[in-house]
Every structure is written in structure tokens, then in C-alpha cells.
């Protein structure tokens, strides 16, 4: 029974894993927040507010309280709470004030799907329980339903909101965030993931301050710059200790996460679709569903929060046949040949790949239209026979004969000004009439909010997919949205375009993944510009970053792992000098890091030396031995590359019988001090052996004494597999 309703005290107690979340319906009207934290066995206690001498008071019959002094579950603006609101609705008379009060509730097993939106799910009804709190504004007959799902086995509460217009007027939603949590103190640090192209998801931790701090995207995608995730950390929180509250939005477009510390030192967290450049018209009888926020509580630091997200996202967000399967080891042509594609070169690369043990050959950008560089052809999704005379079918069949799977790159949301599609349909891109459109990487964004545009792109893609034995698709998206407007929508709906774009994107991917369930999809957006839970619902893996340098990847993969499991992170071994930063790192190190994700190669394999060939073969064999530890195991981050001159992490299987440990030195130190690597997550009483050696240790020794780190050269590394000694 993870959700209990205590009728006497009007309290809902949600128990999720080892955590409790408690709501009281104050005065039988107002949902107020009582608690979120370690699991409680009792919940009748309910101090919902503090009296305030000066606060305005919303209730003519009881002057003792003001909303400004309360912890609220879903606050509106304009009736005595002056913090930022969770939602706002404009009415036909121009007013923006609503007064929603408790009307009804439902508690049931399982978790409902969100219409048209990605969300975490359950496989059996017993995995979770859902509470719906129905609130109503009686003046305008607007229903606001707050959805809370508590998972039994995870410290996870998911939240989303549905607006139902049951009144007689047209409403305009100005703001519709997915969650609000008010904390009764502000002794937190804020952790978030910021970045840029080739520097995605750097970790930043800052103290909270009075006022509002917003982490957001207004680029039309979740973005390289800010990930739709924040966490509040107790001041003493570390990887291993302290309280952590995570908020992760299952959405791929403009988002906002706001943290407000007010005059009374309370902290309000809200998260959802970015209200900037957003409105939504809700006609009579219509509903609006917000995306979902996945909230995780950890009493054991940042590491345990991450592991909770990993377990949940691996098994109850990602879907499809590849959810539980090893992904084929791939070679991608991008850094190998860029646009210099010809069948002969591709086949020689494929032949080498096959001999090395690679399983999937991915043909990246440049195979279609007349795309010899990035100035043309997006939108012309037909094969360029100058480069591939036997077409994709011919190439695909030759790969198949070699025993390789065939994968293909698309950028479906885009159009080049120099393309047949654009010449035929210049009105089909996102634009504002009369305004010059900004080009980015020589391309415009298609207005996929229009059905005819979606249909035509999908038609071309399906024709290609059916024409050849394609088993993998990389779905790229290489620019943000600018001059945002749709020629197909009336003026009053122009601020719907950003959200409609995301809904349209989801619809397209849903259609393709349903029609071609056997295809492995990999998301991409100029590397990791759309690495978010929304995409992961449709595609089990995402290209983490265009930066393939082993040292840069330490930070990028560390930061990404704060929320996302290794099984979702595309990670490729590339050539040196590295194409992004020019650094030369050992092949060994590049290999170990790529093994900490979805493993592949992205280099001209025909140029390997004999020694490198042997090492690549060994890497592939090693990956086959460790992938299940990486994919199914728990991640323990050991040494933080943002803080140290080295990095280390390890994965441990749930039964704690196997582990995979990686250590990378950054710069060599002369005559270095004594260093130990202390492991985590092992069974203290199990005896482990390092695979391939006769070294044996007990778990408690490895975790408390640790192993010696030898002096190491620049960018050198070691990795090993631990197995329980039977
Ligand atoms: C950006 C991606 O991140 C790269 O991996 C590659 O696919 C290029 N686009 C191709 O244009």
C-alpha cells in the first residue's frame, strides 16, 4: 500500500521505496506540502502553516493564515502567495487569477500513460500506485488534476498535471509547470548540469541564495547548455552521504527549473515547460497534459540518487527490444570519412571492422541528395548514386553478406535551403512571415507541427528503410530553433509552436519505432544537445557528445551519469590526434572509457597498426565480457575529474558478484605522492579475484584499504574485472 489516505486528518501519505511524501488537504480545500524525505511510519502530525502578522488572507471566514506562509503543492498566483506560481490561466475577461480547491481524489494501482508524451511506466500494476488530486476552480469550471505516482521499489515519485476546461469560455494557459515542491528551509546547494557543444553536462554545485534561480532552455530542444535536471543537496552531501532531492523532466523542448528562496527561508522548486514563449489555448472541453517530472529522494548522497535514476530509466523509461539486450558493437563512418563517401571505401572499412569483431556498420551523414558538405540536401532523403551506385540496398546486402548489420543517419527535422524539398516547399519551415531566417549549419528547421510536413518526411524515411536491410537509425538534430512561428497556425496560437514541435517530434518517432520495432534508434543533437529522458523513452541510446577525446569524455560521461545510465550513453573510440582537441591519448584509455557506455568505434580502422588491431580485438572481447556489468550494474563514481587530476568509476552487478573498475590518470606527476583507490558497492564478505590474475581480496579490504595506484604517464589508465571467487 504505497499510498494511504488518512481521512480523519485529511492526509495523503505516499511511500516510495524508502521515502515518504506527505500532503495535507488543509481546511478540506488547499493541498499543502507536509514532508518529503526518509520513510515515516506515522503521518497524522500536520502543522500546515505558521501565522503571519501581515500576510494577505484568502479566506473571509478564517483570518489566521496566508498562503505566503505555507508549503503548497500546486500554487497559483494572485491570492496571497507571492512566490512564483506553478501555473497561470488567462480568462476571457483578461484576468489571470484562479482559485483552485480540493474537489476529489482517486488512488489506484499502476500508473497511467500520458497521452502523446513520454513517461516512465510500470509493467505490472503492483509496481506502483497513483494518486490523483482533483482541484477545481468553481468560477470558471476548470479542473486541475495533480498526478502523483509512487513506485514501490524505487525512491521515486513522478508528477504531472492535467488541465480540463469544463467551463463555457476559452482559456489561455500562460504557465503550466509539472511539479512544485516547497521545502521548509533553504540549507541546500543546487546541483545542475550545464555545458555547450562538445562540453555537455558539466557538473556545477552552487549554494542557494534568496530570490529565484532558473535553469532553462529556450532553444526548442532540451539543449547542450542546460539539462532538464536539477538536484537540491544538503550542505554536507557528497557522493556517498547526505540528503539529495532530484528533479528530472521527461521532455525534449524548452524547459524551466526554478528554485526560489523566499523571505521565510523556504525553498520552492518548480519544473516543467518553460513559460517563456509558451501559451496554450484550451477551448471548451479540451484538456492539456503537462510532461512528467521524476523526483528522486536519496539519503545516501548523489551516488544513490544517480543509481535510482539509472535503475528506473533503464527498466521503466527505455522501451523496446534493445532495452535488455546487448547493443551491437558499431563502427560509425563520421570521423572515419566525413562526407567523403564511396562504396569502395565503405566496404574496405566494413571488411576491416568485421575482421576486428565489429557487428554494426553505421553510415553517417553524406549518403543522400547531393550532400558533399553540410551546405545542401537535408530533406532530400534519397540515395546519392554517385557515391553509392548500387544504392543502399546494394551496400546493405554486401554488408549483410559480410555478416554486418547496417545502420543509417538521418536528420529528419531539418531542411537545407539548397534542397529540392525547400525549393518546392519554402513555407514548410519554422518561420515568421517577412522575417529573415537565421541559418545554422546552413540549415532551417522544418515545421513538423504541420501534418503534411511530418507525413512527407516519414514517407521518404520509410521508403529508405524498406529499401535496404536497415537495423539501426541515428536521428540527428543539428541546430536550435530561431524565428519561431508556424505559417499554419493563427496568431493567437503562435506561442504554442515550441510545444507543438516537441509533440510532433514524439509522434513521428513513435510512428517509426512502432512500425519498425526491430530497429535500434540512437538519438543525437550535434552530440548531446538533446540528451534527455523524453528521447530515451523512444530511443534506448543517445550520442553523448561530438567530443570523443578520452580526457574530455571523463567529465562529459561523469556529468551525464549524474542522471543517465551508462546503457544510454553512446561512446566511441576515435582516432588520435583527436579531431576535436588534437590530444593524443592511448588507445587503451579510449577503449576503457567507451566501454563505460554503448561501445563503438568512429575512426578509419584500415589505418590501424598491427599492434592497434590486436588491441582493438582485445577491447571488443573485453566489452563482451563487461557489458552486462555496465548495463545492468550499479555505478559508483570514485574519483571526480572536475576536482582531481584523475578519474575513476566502477560498476557492480546487483548480486555483487562481478565488478568492472576503471581508473584514468590525467597528467603525470613527477615522483607522485602515495595514492590508493578505494572501491565501493562490493559485498564486504565476498572474496574477489581480479580476472586474469591470481590477486584475491575481500570486499571489505578493497573498500577500506584500497589498491595502490602506481605512478602513471599522461592519460594512462587501467581497468579490471572483479569476480567473486567461488
Ligand atoms: C552531428 C553528430 O553529432 C555527428 O556525430 C555527426 O552525425 C554529424 N552531426 C553529421 O553531420
Amino acid at each position: 500500500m504505497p499510498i494511504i489516505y488518512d481521512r480523519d486528518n485529511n492526509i495523503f501519505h505516499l511511500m516510495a521505496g524508502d521515502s515518504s511524501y506527505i500532503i495535507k488537504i488543509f481546511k478540506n480545500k488547499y493541498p499543502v506540502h507536509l514532508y518529503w524525505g526518509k520513510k515515516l511510519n506515522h503521518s497524522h502530525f500536520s502543522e500546515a502553516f505558521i501565522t503571519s502578522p501581515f500576510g494577505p488572507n484568502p479566506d473571509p471566514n478564517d483570518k489566521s493564515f496566508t498562503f505566503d506562509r505555507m508549503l503548497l503543492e500546486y500554487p497559483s498566483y494572485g491570492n496571497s502567495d507571492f512566490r512564483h506560481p506553478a501555473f497561470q490561466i488567462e480568462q476571457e475577461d483578461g484576468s489571470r487569477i484562479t482559485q483552485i480547491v480540493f474537489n476529489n481524489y482517486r488512488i489506484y494501482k499502476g500508473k497511467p500513460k500520458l497521452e502523446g508524451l513520454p513517461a516512465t511506466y510500470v509493467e505490472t500494476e503492483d509496481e506502483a500506485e497513483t494518486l490523483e488530486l482533483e482541484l477545481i476552480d468553481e468560477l470558471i469550471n476548470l479542473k486541475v488534476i495533480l498526478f502523483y505516482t509512487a513506485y514501490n521499489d524505487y525512491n521515486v515519485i513522478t508528477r504531472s498535471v492535467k488541465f480540463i476546461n469544463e467551463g463555457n469560455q476559452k482559456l489561455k494557459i500562460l504557465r503550466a509547470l509539472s511539479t512544485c515542491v516547497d521545502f521548509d528551509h533553504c540549507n541546500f546547494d543546487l546541483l545542475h548540469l550545464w555545458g555547450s557543444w562538445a562540453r555537455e553536462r558539466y557538473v556545477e554545485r552552487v549554494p542557494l541564495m534568496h530570490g529565484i534561480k532558473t535553469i532553462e532552455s529556450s532553444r526548442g530542444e532540451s539543449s547542450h547548455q542546460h539539462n532538464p535536471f536539477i538536484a537540491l543537496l544538503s550542505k554536507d552531501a557528497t557522493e556517498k552521504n547526505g540528503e539529495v532531492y532530484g528533479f528530472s523532466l521527461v521532455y525534449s523542448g524548452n524547459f524551466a527549473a526554478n528554485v526560489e528562496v523566499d523571505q521565510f527561508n523556504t525553498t520552492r522548486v518548480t519544473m516543467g515547460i518553460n513559460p517563456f514563449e509558451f501559451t496554450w489555448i484550451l477551448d471548451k472541453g479540451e484538456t492539456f497534459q503537462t510532461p512528467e517530472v521524476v523526483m528522486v529522494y536519496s539519503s545516501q548522497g548523489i551516488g544513490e540518487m544517480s543509481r535510482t535514476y539509472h535503475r528506473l530509466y533503464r527498466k521503466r523509461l527505455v522501451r523496446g527490444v534493445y532495452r535488455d539486450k546487448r547493443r551491437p558493437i558499431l563502427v560509425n563512418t563520421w570521423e572515419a570519412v566525413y562526407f567523403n563517401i564511396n562504396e569502395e571505401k565503405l566496404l574496405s572499412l566494413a571488411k576491416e571492422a568485421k575482421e576486428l569483431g565489429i557487428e554494426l556498420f553505421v553510415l553517417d551523414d553524406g549518403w543522400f541528395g547531393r550532400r558533399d558538405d553540410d551546405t545542401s540536401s537535408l530533406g532530400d532523403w534519397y540515395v546519392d548514386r554517385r557515391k553509392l551506385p548500387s544504392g543502399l540496398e546494394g551496400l546493405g546486402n554486401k554488408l549483410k553478406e559480410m555478416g554486418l548489420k547496417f545502420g543509417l543517419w538521418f536528420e529528419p527535422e531539418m531542411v537545407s535551403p539548397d534542397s529540392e524539398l525547400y525549393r518546392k516547399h519554402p513555407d514548410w519551415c519554422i518561420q515568421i512571415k517577412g522575417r529573415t531566417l537565421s541559418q545554422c549549419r546552413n540549415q532551417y528547421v522544418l515545421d513538423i507541427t504541420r501534418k503534411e510536413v511530418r507525413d512527407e518526411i516519414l514517407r521518404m524515411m520509410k521508403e529508405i528503410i524498406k529499401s535496404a536491410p536497415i537495423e539501426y537509425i541515428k536521428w540527428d538534430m543539428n541546430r536550435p530553433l530561431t524565428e519561431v512561428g508556424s505559417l499554419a497556425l493563427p496568431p493567437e496560437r503562435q506561442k504554442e509552436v515550441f510545444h507543438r514541435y516537441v509533440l510532433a517530434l514524439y509522434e513521428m518517432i513513435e510512428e517509426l519505432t512502432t512500425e519498425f520495432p526491430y530497429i535500434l534508434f540512437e538519438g543525437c543533437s550535434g552530440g548531446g544537445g538533446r540528451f534527455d529522458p523524453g528521447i530515451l523513452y523512444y530511443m534506448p541510446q543517445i550520442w553523448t557528445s561530438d567530443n570523443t577525446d578520452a580526457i574530455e569524455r571523463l567529465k562529459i560521461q561523469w556529468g551525464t551519469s549524474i542522471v543517465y545510465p551508462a546503457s544510454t550513453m553512446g561512446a566511441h573510440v576515435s582516432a588520435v590526434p583527436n579531431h576535436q582537441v588534437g590530444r593524443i591519448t592511448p588507445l587503451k584509455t579510449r577503449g576503457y572509457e567507451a566501454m563505460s557506455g554503448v561501445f563503438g568505434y568512429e575512426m578509419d580502422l584500415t589505418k590501424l597498426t598491427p599492434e592497434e588491431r590486436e588491441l582493438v580485438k582485445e577491447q571488443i572481447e573485453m566489452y563482451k565480457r563487461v557489458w552486462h556489468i555496465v548495463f545492468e550494474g550499479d555505478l559508483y563514481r570514485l574519483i571526480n575529474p572536475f576536482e582531481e587530476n584523475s578519474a575513476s568509476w566502477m560498476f557492480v552487478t546487483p548480486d555483487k558478484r562481478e565488478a568492472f573498475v576503471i581508473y584514468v590518470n590525467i597528467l603525470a606527476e613527477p615522483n607522485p605522492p602515495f595514492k590508493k583507490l578505494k572501491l565501493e558497492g562490493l559485498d564486504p564478505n565476498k572474496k574477489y579475484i581480479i580476472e586474469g590474475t591470481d590477486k584475491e581480496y575481500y570486499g571489505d579490504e578493497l573498500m577500506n584499504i584500497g589498491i595502490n595506484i602506481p605512478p602513471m604517464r599522461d592519460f594512462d589508465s587501467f581497468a579490471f574485472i572483479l569476480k567473486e571467487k567461488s
Side-chain angles (χ1 to χ4, degrees), residues 443-476:
Q443 64 200 54
Y444 296 140
V445 183
L446 283 171
D447 183 359
I448 56 170
T449 70
R450 297 171 69 156
K451 185 167 174 355
E452 66 272 35
V453 178
R454 293 198 295 278
D455 286 350
E456 177 57 9
I457 296 297
L458 286 176
R459 186 195 64 73
M460 286 189 268
M461 289 181 78
K462 287 179 188 176
E463 212 169 287
I464 291 285
I465 296 170
K466 286 178 190 159
S467 75
I470 289 163
E471 295 181 73
Y472 162 106
I473 286 176
K474 179 172 171 187
W475 181 301
D476 206 347

Side-chain angles (χ1 to χ4, degrees), residues 334 364-365 371 409 441 474 476 478 524 526-527 543 546:
W334 183 240
D364 209 280
D365 197 352
R371 190 154 163 98
W409 179 96
R441 209 193 185 207
K474 179 172 171 187
D476 206 347
N478 281 302
C524 179
W543 182 225
D546 276 348

Side-chain angles (χ1 to χ4, degrees), residues 204 275 373 435 468 582:
E204 187 165 63
D373 53 33
R435 296 279 172 207

